[in-house]
Amino acid sequence: MALWITDECINCDVCEPECPNEAISMGPEIYQIDPHRCTECVGHFDEPQCVQLCPVACIPVNPAHVETRAQLMAKYEHLTALSPGPAEVSAAGTPATPS
Ligand code: SF4
Ligand code: SF4
């Protein structure tokens, strides 16, 4: 399951830089987690880093995004593939010629 941040968040800024998937960002009032980027840290760490660090324990699992560990690993692999190196960007056919 992806995780989510409840309204008990105190905006301490601790979790955002520690997320290996850049899934955490500042929302309109409190921090939020993009469920499409959160893998519960599967692929990176044994435990969810944000949960380990949050001082007020306001990051439960998101019941709206139930996923198995295999699905979380597949999401991790998909996210990794979305971060192309220079060769892959070139292969995508984007013209690099300045006008
Ligand atoms: Fe990011 Fe991991 Fe927290 Fe998900 S569990 S938001 S991937 S730090
Ligand atoms: Fe909010 Fe917890 Fe993240 Fe701090 S660590 S910004 S309290 S969710």
Side-chain angles (χ1 to χ4, degrees):
M1 274 181 264
L3 305 184
W4 69 293
I5 295 172
T6 73
D7 60 8
E8 292 172 23
C9 171
I10 57 173
N11 292 338
C12 72
D13 304 335
V14 167
C15 59
E16 188 270 339
E18 299 302 326
C19 176
N21 292 325
E22 298 181 356
I24 303 175
S25 62
M26 187 65 193
E29 296 182 3
I30 58 174
Y31 277 85
Q32 59 191 10
I33 293 175
D34 180 350
H36 301 296
R37 297 191 69 86
C38 175
T39 64
E40 286 190 46
C41 285
V42 168
H44 292 283
F45 301 101
D46 290 337
E47 300 288 339
Q49 296 300 288
C50 55
V51 174
Q52 299 288 308
L53 295 167
C54 181
V56 295
C58 69
I59 314 179
V61 293
N62 188 339
H65 290 276
V66 179
E67 295 159 296
T68 65
R69 186 174 180 85
Q71 287 174 311
L72 291 168
M73 182 56 80
K75 189 194 296 186
Y76 160 76
E77 291 170 353
H78 177 67
L79 289 170
T80 302
L82 287 179
S83 302
E88 292 171 81
V89 171
S90 176
T94 304
T97 308
S99 56

